[in-house]
Amino acid sequence: MARLGEKSNMRVIQWATGSMGRTALRRIIDARELTLAGTYVYGSGKAGIDAGTLARRADTGVLATDDRAAILALDADVVVHCPRITLPYDALVEDVAALLESGKNVVSIAGFHWPDAHGDEYASRLRDAALRGGATLAGVGVNPGSVVERIALAATAMSHDLTRLSVFETVDASAMESPEFVFGLMGLNSDPQESDIREGPLGDLYGALFSEVLHFFAAELGGAIERIEPDHRLTLAERPIATAAGTIAPGRVAATEWRWTAVTDLGPELLLSILWTADPALHGDERQGHWTIRIDGRPNIRMSLDIEEPDPGKPPSRALTDATVAVAINAIPHVVAAPPGLFAFHPPAAWRQA
């Protein structure tokens, strides 16, 4: 199996060139063992521009296109799929299924981590497309994709008796510049008097996305989910809060905590808490790191994980972008070498019921 750092000359298509996609495009252009075969962009504004220009690199000779059929017709080993997650959650399935059916492996950071969480009809559409094309689909990322699936679950191998795995994520949105992302997809600055985002499309979107983490957890333990209990929480601004995306007015949402408890048929539970905030100081000392992992049972285990930007002149959010894209790029040789179908990284060891 080829690994990054070895000469393999895999042909790669970069799908989408937002902040994540541009970072992925740079990594592909810079990698000696990868050859950029194509670049897909949304909208005509970037179409016809050399991919190197979009990535702040030298010209590559590969011009970006918004022609989906042209991308499907290209000869390539893998597509690095980096669109923004959209409403509804399954809006990206048609594109991914078409890429798979055209014979291209897909590494996506926009879902597809554990399609079986959504039932056989959803998963079969992707699995069947992969089998028809002789290709493999992998949903990867930091969370979802690594923190629970590859780090926390591996740590449960130190447990004799596992009661609950709790994972708390805190993301500081104060330096994020995109209002569309911070005020739209994150839900900050919304007015709870007008609509409660916990009950609307955003709640459905994140419930679908993170349910894949919950179902993966149960499957890795050898069991299944009995029920998922949501407990989403909002923190309202008591004063104006300035962020790079704009100012959050008093009485509007300054933080969202998307929170679920999954109860398995084996007994152990997974508590997953995703806190996105305009000001981490609103939440006390317990929510100052990126992730806190707690494993309750025998013994109790505590872990913390931070991803930090080494350059003080760059926005802190760049670190998480780099980490997410690194997971995707490093997954390429594993996904290309895997048999056709749906792919997931499995932890080297995990708790099993005695």
Side-chain angles (χ1 to χ4, degrees):
M1 177 175 63
R3 297 182 182 276
L4 291 185
E6 299 174 359
K7 184 64 177 176
S8 56
N9 198 31
M10 283 183 281
R11 291 175 55 81
V12 184
I13 292 170
Q14 175 57 41
W15 183 286
T17 57
S19 59
M20 290 285 187
R22 286 194 305 274
T23 299
L25 186 56
R26 293 184 195 107
R27 302 296 176 263
I28 294 165
I29 293 171
D30 292 346
R32 291 175 300 173
E33 68 279 9
L34 302 178
T35 298
L36 182 66
T39 303
Y40 181 79
V41 293
Y42 288 97
S44 59
K46 297 178 182 177
I49 298 175
D50 191 281
T53 300
L54 295 176
R56 298 179 184 175
R57 293 293 189 268
D59 283 355
T60 63
V62 175
L63 302 183
T65 181
D66 59 353
D67 185 340
R68 181 175 179 267
I71 289 292
L72 292 175
L74 283 176
D75 175 26
D77 298 292
V78 63
V79 178
V80 178
H81 183 250
C82 299
R84 183 172 290 173
I85 292 176
T86 57
L87 292 166
Y89 180 66
D90 62 359
L92 301 174
V93 169
E94 183 177 349
D95 286 336
V96 171
L99 289 167
L100 293 167
E101 204 157 354
S102 73
K104 300 172 185 61
N105 300 289
V106 177
V107 175
S108 179
I109 64 168
F112 309 103
H113 304 276
W114 194 249
D116 287 307
H118 308 298
D120 185 63
E121 182 177 353
Y122 178 95
S124 292
R125 184 178 176 189
L126 293 163
R127 185 181 289 109
D128 292 347
L131 294 176
R132 284 193 296 270
T136 304
L137 169 62
V140 300
V142 175
N143 187 38
S146 293
V147 173
V148 173
E149 297 91 331
R150 301 173 69 180
I151 297 173
L153 268 169
T156 67
M158 293 184 281
S159 295
H160 293 288
D161 182 17
L162 177 62
T163 303
R164 170 178 280 197
L165 171 62
S166 302
V167 176
F168 300 90
E169 173 180 291
T170 303
V171 174
D172 181 357
S174 63
M176 297 180 181
E177 297 180 348
S178 170
E180 181 185 1
F181 185 75
V182 176
F183 297 156
L185 279 177
M186 279 188 155
L188 303 190
N189 204 38
S190 60
D191 186 348
Q193 299 300 317
E194 294 181 359
S195 64
D196 188 337
I197 60 173
R198 296 172 293 182
E199 305 297 331
L202 280 184
D204 294 339
L205 173 66
Y206 296 123
L209 173 63
F210 287 102
S211 72
E212 300 188 17
V213 179
L214 307 178
H215 282 271
F216 184 92
F217 166 78
E220 283 299 304
L221 298 187
I225 294 290
E226 284 191 339
R227 65 184 184 276
I228 297 174
E229 301 169 349
D231 180 21
H232 307 316
R233 305 170 184 185
L234 303 178
T235 300
L236 305 185
E238 296 182 356
R239 54 175 175 78
I241 300 175
T243 75
T247 299
I248 297 174
R252 290 180 174 258
V253 173
T256 59
E257 183 185 4
W258 304 101
R259 186 181 180 107
W260 304 267
T261 298
V263 180
T264 72
D265 56 2
L266 297 177
E269 299 177 350
L270 170 59
L271 168 62
L272 183 60
S273 167
I274 311 296
L275 176 66
W276 295 327
T277 181
D279 184 359
L282 294 170
H283 313 287
D285 294 338
E286 291 188 357
R287 300 300 295 249
Q288 296 305 304
H290 264 137
W291 290 276
T292 300
I293 299 168
R294 302 176 184 172
I295 301 173
D296 293 318
R298 182 182 176 196
N300 291 333
I301 301 167
R302 300 291 182 265
M303 305 165 60
S304 62
L305 173 65
D306 284 306
I307 296 176
E308 298 180 349
E309 169 55 46
D311 185 345
K314 300 296 183 181
S317 59
R318 190 177 79 155
L320 190 55
T321 297
D322 283 344
T324 302
V325 170
V327 174
I329 298 299
N330 289 330
I332 288 174
H334 301 278
V335 176
V336 170
L342 304 180
F343 176 91
F345 284 111
H346 297 281
W351 177 86
R352 288 291 185 270
Q353 190 175 44

